[in-house]
Amino acid sequence: GTLEKIKEEGKLVVGTEASYRPFEYHNAKDEIVGFDIDIAKALSKELGVELEIKDIAFDGLIPSLKTKKFDLVIAAMTITESRKKSVDFSTPYFNAGQVIAVLDSEDQIQNVEDLVGKTVGVQLGTTGDLKVSEIDGLEIKRYEKIPQAFIDLKNGRIDAIVNDLPVTATFVKKVEGVKIVGTPFTEENYGMAIRKDDNELEKRLNEALSNIKEKGIYDKIYAKWFK
Ligand code: GLN
């Protein structure tokens, strides 16, 4: 199985989409860093192996996991019923929800209902995409990477962005003229995705996750990225 392969090769290969700061992104030195990356490093240390990261489009992560391009996915990925039909998830490791971001000057959009009649940006294949797709009477622009949506929001090409709170909050802190309206309108948990038949890996991964929590490593990583 995959767990044996990981041990034999001495490395854990993780798939992600690295334009999702602070979870996974390219820093100024073009290294892939972030909360998820530190968690993945801590888990590979627990397993006694090296870590290798593969950066691909978000909507390709589950298909590529299934064709064994990597051993698992860690990508701020929400555990959903529909994804659970094709992959398994680790125990939850982070709590988030969808929020709406608009320009500071925007005063009509206060909540989800106000998105009707507007043009809304989302990241392709995400829970934000799914949520917004359930609402009638709005136009959706789907982006491969969420930073592209923020460029379009600034330029006035879209009216709002629906995206995970921690990532949007990071943008709003760094980019002037953009604000979050309302409170999260979904309740979501992130999990690491593994192939359905990888039960040993899943067990080992959950053990490693609870170990890094017990040792205080998880809290340290959390404080580093979210203080
Ligand atoms: N949490 C969201 C999802 O799972 C967004 C993840 C992401 O864009 N990396 O769909």
Side-chain angles (χ1 to χ4, degrees):
T2 304
L3 185 59
E4 282 80 61
K5 194 218 73 176
I6 291 167
K7 285 180 180 161
E8 264 168 39
E9 292 179 359
K11 68 172 182 195
L12 174 69
V13 186
V14 169
T16 198
E17 190 281 298
S19 58
Y20 216 57
R21 189 173 187 171
F23 293 98
E24 40 270 329
Y25 65 100
H26 293 262
N27 68 11
K29 291 186 225 151
D30 206 31
E31 299 152 341
I32 299 176
V33 297
F35 175 85
D36 280 350
I37 306 304
D38 282 350
I39 294 290
K41 275 185 194 156
L43 295 174
S44 34
K45 217 171 166 191
E46 281 290 320
L47 297 174
V49 297
E50 298 288 303
L51 175 67
E52 185 183 321
I53 304 284
K54 289 195 174 164
D55 177 18
I56 70 161
F58 187 81
D59 70 331
L61 286 169
I62 288 182
S64 297
L65 174 68
K66 288 169 115 181
T67 56
K68 305 197 174 181
K69 299 263 161 47
F70 24 76
D71 304 318
L72 61 94
V73 170
I74 180 160
M77 185 179 275
T78 303
I79 302 170
T80 69
E81 286 312 312
S82 96
R83 288 173 183 159
K84 271 162 81 177
K85 285 179 190 147
S86 59
V87 293
D88 277 354
F89 282 97
S90 68
T91 51
Y93 71 92
F94 198 91
N95 194 265
Q98 300 297 310
V99 288
I100 301 166
V102 294
L103 290 180
D104 277 347
S105 55
E106 168 63 57
D107 53 13
Q108 293 175 355
I109 301 172
Q110 315 280 356
N111 55 44
V112 197
E113 288 77 50
D114 301 332
L115 294 177
V116 174
K118 306 288 181 188
T119 305
V120 183
V122 296
Q123 187 183 5
L124 179 69
T126 59
T127 46
D129 185 358
L130 286 173
K131 271 285 150 192
V132 167
S133 300
E134 286 169 7
I135 309 168
D136 287 331
L138 52 75
E139 199 184 317
I140 306 174
K141 272 199 86 178
R142 297 183 173 88
Y143 299 87
E144 187 138 319
K145 294 165 188 285
I146 207 72
Q148 298 163 342
F150 278 90
I151 292 169
D152 273 10
L153 181 65
K154 288 284 284 186
N155 292 339
R157 285 192 209 99
I158 56 176
D159 302 308
I161 294 173
V162 168
N163 182 50
D164 296 25
L165 171 62
V167 173
T168 294
T170 302
F171 266 101
V172 166
K173 247 191 262 171
K174 296 202 188 311
V175 178
E176 246 175 84
V178 180
K179 65 181 176 187
I180 290 174
V181 287
T183 49
F185 61 93
T186 63
E187 165 76 29
E188 302 183 25
N189 282 303
Y190 297 166
M192 289 167 261
I194 43 249
R195 286 184 289 275
K196 278 208 163 289
D197 50 8
D198 275 338
N199 299 326
E200 277 183 345
L201 176 62
E202 184 174 341
K203 218 180 121 211
R204 189 65 193 91
L205 208 58
N206 285 336
E207 260 171 30
L209 188 59
S210 84
N211 286 348
I212 68 165
K213 282 187 179 165
E214 264 165 42
K215 292 178 186 167
I217 298 168
Y218 180 97
D219 285 345
K220 262 193 203 144
I221 295 172
Y222 187 91
K224 174 177 167 189
W225 294 102
F226 297 102
K227 48 172 178 303

